[in-house]
Amino acid sequence: MTTRRHFITTTAAAVGAATVLGSTPAFAEEVPATDAALAVDEKTARDAIRAVNSAMRTNYAALKARLVQELGPVVVVQNNAVGGRFRLVNRGTVLETVDPVPEVFELAKSIAHVPLGIFSTAGSHLSDRVPNVANSARIDAHDLDMVSMEGPASTAWIAPLQAFRDRLRDTRRKLPGANLPTDLRNSCDTILAEAIAFIDASVRARVFDIPTFQEFSKTVYPAVRVNMKHASAAQISGVGELMKRWRGQIGEAAWSDLYVCVLSIWTTSELNQASIIIKRHMNQAKVATHLIDLPAVESPSDPVAVALENLARIVQDNIAAEMVFAADLRVADALKGREDLLSQEILVQLGGGSPTGGAATATAFGAAAKGACPIDHTLLKI
């Protein structure tokens, strides 16, 4: 039976003998190609090559699965309509789940969404022609064509828009009983009143178009800004108080190494509201590498599992990068971040990159961590 010790001993003896004879054997000469090896068909040989990568992926996944149980402390943030659900996780276990944002956040945003609600109800009946409005250059003609799938000839938008108006009227009638701050109550009332008037005028004219809607939206925008102010203040206070409590609960030493994974949809992944707030409560020296936004197509059914799976990949790649690509720190940074490992070489071959790589465009995975690791379980980058 060949052992590692036997291999080392016999190899050393072979090298010594060769030295006496005045030559050093090449390692390849110790494993000569046989007729049987040469006779292997192309598919079999290529399948053997693929099997190497398959084995790597299996081992990588196994290490990652074990690492998930070691991660901590981690705060997992799931954005939702009430300001976000926050989970404190340590070593794979959820210690606490909290919706920390005061109710005024949801209420203020609900009424601020009224103009978007009107658009969503009747938008498919717009004309597909970009009108002569101040921001016409910002309206993509093809996008408009796709949204206006029904077109203006149909008046099928009237009934659902009237139903939405009835809901707005009922809400406006009950608004005083919501016990909102005075300026918020007034801004909500303005938005509701103007929306009802706009819908009534549109129904009478049997016209729903971009110019008239823009005039309405400009009218209510100051009130919408008041609602945005109240929603933001509620979120800042609610999240801030929770972070302070958790910080005291787990202690300064653990908190200094805290990872935060914020799950969001793509349209809110840039300057995500939760990320902005939480950043202020983290170890500032590690924010760049430990605050990770994970944009998705839609909210996952198991946000903790998704966050930890991706965080394990990130943490694992941080170490692997420094070991596997010690000869090229630019490529090591790519493995740590969002950059595909072949991207620079592809740019070189297309005439747009440097063959030597040069200084990394992002230090470690830190500057690239925003939006790092999509949460759809894509294949490894290698």
Side-chain angles (χ1 to χ4, degrees), residues 268-276 279 293 370:
T268 61
S269 61
E270 195 74 18
L271 281 180
N272 182 273
Q273 55 201 36
S275 300
I276 295 172
K279 178 180 179 179
D293 286 305
K370 187 168 184 59

Side-chain angles (χ1 to χ4, degrees), residues 144-283:
L144 177 59
D145 180 60
M146 291 187 288
V147 169
S148 59
M149 60 196 78
E150 302 292 340
S154 170
T155 57
W157 57 272
I158 291 179
L161 198 56
Q162 285 178 318
F164 189 57
R165 175 201 58 193
D166 292 343
R167 182 174 297 278
L168 299 182
R169 281 179 172 172
D170 180 63
T171 300
R172 190 184 182 204
R173 179 175 61 83
K174 297 174 179 176
L175 183 63
N179 193 28
L180 300 177
T182 301
D183 60 337
L184 179 58
R185 183 189 67 219
N186 291 341
S187 62
C188 289
D189 185 71
T190 296
I191 294 169
L192 292 168
E194 292 292 342
I196 293 167
F198 169 76
I199 292 173
D200 287 342
S202 299
V203 170
R204 283 194 302 270
R206 303 176 75 81
V207 172
F208 181 79
D209 59 23
I210 291 176
T212 55
F213 185 87
Q214 285 188 344
E215 289 304 313
F216 153 70
S217 66
K218 290 176 183 177
T219 299
V220 299
Y221 182 67
V224 169
R225 290 297 308 182
V226 173
N227 284 42
M228 292 172 69
K229 179 190 73 173
H230 279 272
S232 298
Q235 193 169 38
I236 291 171
S237 65
V239 174
E241 288 303 314
L242 178 63
M243 292 300 104
K244 290 176 183 177
R245 179 166 69 80
W246 279 350
R247 184 172 187 165
Q249 179 178 326
I250 70 174
E252 286 298 320
W255 190 265
S256 67
D257 291 322
L258 177 75
Y259 271 102
V260 177
C261 295
V262 180
L263 282 67
S264 61
I265 58 175
W266 179 87
T267 53
T268 61
S269 61
E270 195 74 18
L271 281 180
N272 182 273
Q273 55 201 36
S275 300
I276 295 172
I277 299 169
I278 293 175
K279 178 180 179 179
R280 302 169 65 243
H281 298 275
M282 296 177 64
N283 178 351

Side-chain angles (χ1 to χ4, degrees), residues 71-155:
L71 297 173
V74 183
V75 171
V76 177
V77 183
Q78 182 181 15
N79 285 302
N80 58 24
V82 298
R85 175 159 292 178
F86 293 69
R87 295 175 174 89
L88 180 61
V89 184
N90 193 48
R91 296 189 179 277
T93 300
V94 178
L95 303 181
E96 188 176 2
T97 300
V98 184
D99 295 336
V101 180
E103 189 181 16
V104 69
F105 171 92
E106 181 185 11
L107 301 176
K109 287 195 69 175
S110 179
I111 302 303
H113 285 158
V114 166
L116 185 58
I118 294 174
F119 163 78
S120 302
T121 305
S124 64
H125 294 272
L126 291 168
S127 168
D128 61 359
R129 294 174 177 265
V130 178
N132 185 23
V133 292
N135 62 328
S136 61
R138 293 169 53 86
I139 301 176
D140 187 287
H142 181 56
D143 289 354
L144 177 59
D145 180 60
M146 291 187 288
V147 169
S148 59
M149 60 196 78
E150 302 292 340
S154 170
T155 57

Side-chain angles (χ1 to χ4, degrees), residues 40-62:
V40 171
D41 64 277
E42 181 180 288
K43 181 179 183 306
T44 300
R46 292 189 174 190
D47 285 346
I49 294 172
R50 293 188 184 95
V52 173
N53 193 48
S54 178
M56 181 281 295
R57 291 183 185 279
T58 298
N59 295 336
Y60 184 100

